[in-house]
């Protein structure tokens, strides 16, 4: 049993060290290109050096590492496994009576370490890092956050519904504001206002030019109107800014709560939160899938040598990442639920990995 244990340490060391080296090299290259692209904006907007380093790039690294971790894992496995194959080390290991399935153990243990690190980044580190990074980008790189503008529908607690014809992010004002109570499948009351402006100091809406109609039986409706009135709702101005970027900063508990609230409201923007939630969970599993696929492709000697395997690995890993991004389009188009669309690349590549593993030379 001594030989397999030494083999485990040897493969795990090769895997993890190569992964970290590849990670550091790619991060360095990406940061250099990113600085060259954004340097004019940093200078023109007088971004402090300290903020650039600590607020932006220090928080950019976890986000970038996690986003491209499938690429790093796959290239790592392809690279050092191809070297083992080219040097006939795989043949020697199998000749010593070590089963091919047994060789996969250190690979999967290493993939577990990477997957656990990726999951920890997704759930606890990256949301906090994204908050600081996106605040920096908003101030020094990109335009202010955009809000929903027209025909906005929300369902609040119970059977209360809000409709807004248009919303101005500049004045934080909703125009043609309507609040309807439809409890017991009947219109109980309807509040209409020319505008509703968010009062950030008191955390409430200030309605102007309002009319309130309370529906009774027969002709007993009560109608009252006025120039201005304040009201408190479970709807805040932040609900008009929910998009792909804002959900990236939410901790897992807040993300789940947002999904629940938006689902109850019938808010179409719940897809952003659902995509983010499923991506955080599904991403770490790619380490296992691409590790198995990488080993299966690299244990056969090819005429093109290691270079051909690396080129093949880069092509497949970029296809996987592209497929991950493209799968979101199914959600935006309404073709697939977020859970299915985001997990679809993992499902397809898992099937491919299983087939390749079955036919790999053993």
């Amino acid at each position: 049993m001594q030989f397999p244990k030494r083999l485990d340490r040897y493969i795990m060391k090769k895997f993890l060290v190569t992964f970290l080296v590849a990670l550091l090299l790619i991060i360095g290259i990406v940061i250099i290109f990113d600085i060259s692209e954004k340097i004019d904006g940093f200078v023109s907007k007088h971004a402090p050096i300290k903020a650039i380093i600590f607020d932006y790039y220090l928080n950019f690294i976890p986000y970038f590492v996690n986003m491209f971790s499938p690429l790093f894992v796959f290239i790592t496995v392809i690279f050092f496994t191809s070297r083992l194959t080219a040097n006939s080390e795989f043949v020697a290991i199998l000749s010593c009576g070590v089963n091919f399935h047994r060789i996969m153990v250190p690979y999967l243990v290493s993939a577990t370490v990477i997957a656990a690190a990726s999951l920890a980044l997704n759930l606890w580190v990256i949301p906090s890092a994204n908050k600081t990074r996106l605040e920096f980008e908003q101030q020094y790189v990109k335009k202010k956050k955009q809000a929903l503008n027209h025909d906005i529908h929300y369902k609040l607690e119970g059977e209360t519904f809000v409709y807004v014809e248009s919303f101005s992010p500049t004045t934080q004002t909703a125009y043609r504001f309507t609040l309807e109570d439809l409890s017991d499948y009947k219109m109980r009351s309807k509040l209409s206002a020319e505008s509703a402006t968010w009062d950030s100091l008191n955390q409430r809406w200030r309605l102007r030019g309002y009319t309130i109609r309370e529906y009774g039986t027969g002709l007993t409706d009560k109608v009252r109107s006025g120039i201005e009135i304040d009201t408190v709702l479970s709807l805040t101005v932040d609900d008009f800014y929910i998009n792909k970027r804002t959900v990236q900063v939410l901790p897992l508990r807040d993300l789940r709560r947002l999904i629940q609230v938006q689902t109850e409201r019938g808010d179409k923007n719940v897809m952003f939160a659902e995509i983010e939630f499923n991506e955080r969970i599904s991403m770490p599993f790619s380490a296992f899938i691409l590790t198995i696929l990488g080993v299966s492709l690299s244990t056969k000697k090819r005429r093109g040598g290691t270079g051909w395997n690396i080129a093949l690995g880069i092509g497949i890993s970029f296809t996987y990442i592209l497929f991950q991004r493209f799968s979101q389009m199914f959600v935006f188009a309404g073709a697939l639920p977020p859970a299915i669309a985001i997990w679809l690349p993992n499902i397809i590549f898992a099937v491919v990995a299983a087939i390749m593993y079955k036919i790999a030379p053993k």
Side-chain angles (χ1 to χ4, degrees):
M1 296 297 293
Q2 185 66 25
F3 175 69
K5 290 181 180 179
R6 293 179 63 184
L7 177 63
D8 291 343
R9 291 194 295 269
Y10 177 70
I11 291 178
M12 290 175 62
K13 181 180 178 181
K14 286 277 188 181
F15 193 151
L16 297 176
V17 170
T18 306
F19 177 78
L20 292 175
V21 170
L23 211 59
L24 293 174
L25 289 175
I26 298 297
I27 288 173
I29 294 172
V30 168
I31 289 178
I32 290 172
F33 276 101
D34 193 72
I35 290 175
S36 64
E37 179 185 351
K38 295 184 172 70
I39 187 67
D40 291 337
F42 293 158
V43 173
S44 63
K45 294 187 177 181
H46 308 289
I49 298 295
K50 183 179 179 180
I52 294 174
I53 296 174
F54 293 100
D55 292 347
Y56 183 63
Y57 282 109
L58 198 62
N59 293 297
F60 171 80
I61 290 173
Y63 170 76
F64 176 83
V65 165
N66 193 65
M67 183 170 61
F68 287 98
S69 61
L71 171 65
F72 299 140
V73 169
F74 200 51
I75 291 179
T76 296
V77 173
I78 289 282
F79 176 75
F80 85 83
T81 306
S82 296
R83 294 292 300 272
L84 293 178
T85 303
N87 295 333
S88 300
E89 293 181 67
F90 248 101
V91 176
I93 294 170
L94 293 172
S95 299
C96 291
V98 180
N99 189 281
F100 184 84
H101 304 298
R102 177 63 180 80
I103 298 176
M104 288 299 302
V105 171
Y107 280 98
L108 294 178
V109 171
S110 301
T112 301
V113 173
I114 295 173
S118 176
L119 188 62
L121 286 174
N122 271 336
L123 299 184
W124 295 292
V125 178
I126 291 179
S128 177
N130 278 342
K131 184 176 182 180
T132 305
R133 178 179 64 85
L134 293 176
E135 286 175 353
F136 177 91
E137 287 184 353
Q138 187 133 343
Q139 184 173 0
Y140 298 109
V141 180
K142 298 183 178 181
K143 295 180 180 180
K144 298 295 182 182
K145 60 182 180 180
Q146 298 296 314
L148 301 174
N149 289 322
H150 299 285
D151 295 326
I152 305 163
H153 298 264
Y154 284 117
K155 180 178 181 294
L156 305 185
E157 65 281 345
E159 296 298 322
T160 304
F161 296 84
V162 167
Y163 169 74
V164 173
E165 183 178 288
S166 62
F167 179 78
S168 171
T170 305
T171 60
Q172 295 191 337
T173 300
Y175 296 97
R176 301 293 187 273
F177 181 91
T178 302
L179 180 68
E180 298 177 339
D181 180 3
L182 300 176
S183 56
D184 298 327
Y185 304 100
K186 294 181 181 180
M187 179 75 76
R188 298 296 181 181
S189 64
K190 181 176 181 179
L191 185 156
S192 302
E194 288 297 319
S195 66
T197 303
W198 178 249
D199 183 352
S200 58
L201 182 62
N202 297 309
Q203 296 291 297
R204 64 182 63 183
W205 293 96
R206 179 160 296 166
L207 310 182
R208 293 183 174 87
Y210 71 92
T211 300
I212 301 176
R213 179 183 293 273
E214 296 178 354
Y215 295 90
T217 57
L219 301 176
T220 60
D221 296 353
K222 296 180 180 180
V223 180
R224 66 181 190 274
S225 59
I227 299 175
E228 187 173 286
I229 189 175
D230 288 351
T231 184
V232 177
L233 302 172
S234 59
L235 178 75
T236 70
V237 72
D238 292 335
D239 292 309
F240 291 93
Y241 291 94
I242 298 297
N243 55 35
K244 182 177 180 180
R245 292 171 65 83
T246 54
V247 297
Q248 292 178 352
V249 307
L250 297 178
L252 186 63
R253 180 180 299 177
D254 293 343
L255 189 62
R256 283 175 170 170
R257 188 181 299 115
L258 176 63
I259 292 173
Q260 181 180 356
V261 170
Q262 288 187 318
T263 301
E264 291 174 353
R265 289 179 177 176
D267 189 347
K268 62 182 180 180
N269 289 305
V270 69
M271 62 182 176
F272 294 118
E274 290 179 332
I275 288 173
E276 178 69 17
F277 175 78
N278 284 283
E279 280 189 336
R280 292 185 188 184
I281 305 300
S282 66
M283 179 72 75
F285 283 92
S286 64
F288 299 103
I289 297 168
L290 296 179
T291 294
I292 295 172
L293 184 57
V295 174
S296 302
L297 290 172
S298 306
T299 53
K300 181 179 179 180
K301 285 190 176 182
R302 302 181 186 276
R303 185 170 299 178
T306 304
W308 170 253
N309 282 343
I310 293 175
L312 182 63
I314 292 174
I316 293 177
S317 54
F318 269 115
T319 301
Y320 176 82
I321 294 172
L322 182 63
F323 196 3
Q324 277 187 322
R325 298 292 168 248
F326 182 74
S327 65
Q328 296 182 11
M329 297 300 105
F330 294 120
V331 183
F332 299 139
L336 289 173
I340 296 177
I342 300 305
W343 282 88
L344 189 60
N346 277 354
I347 296 171
I348 292 176
F349 274 78
V351 172
V352 173
I355 295 172
M356 295 302 298
Y357 182 77
K358 186 175 181 179
I359 65 176
K362 298 178 176 62

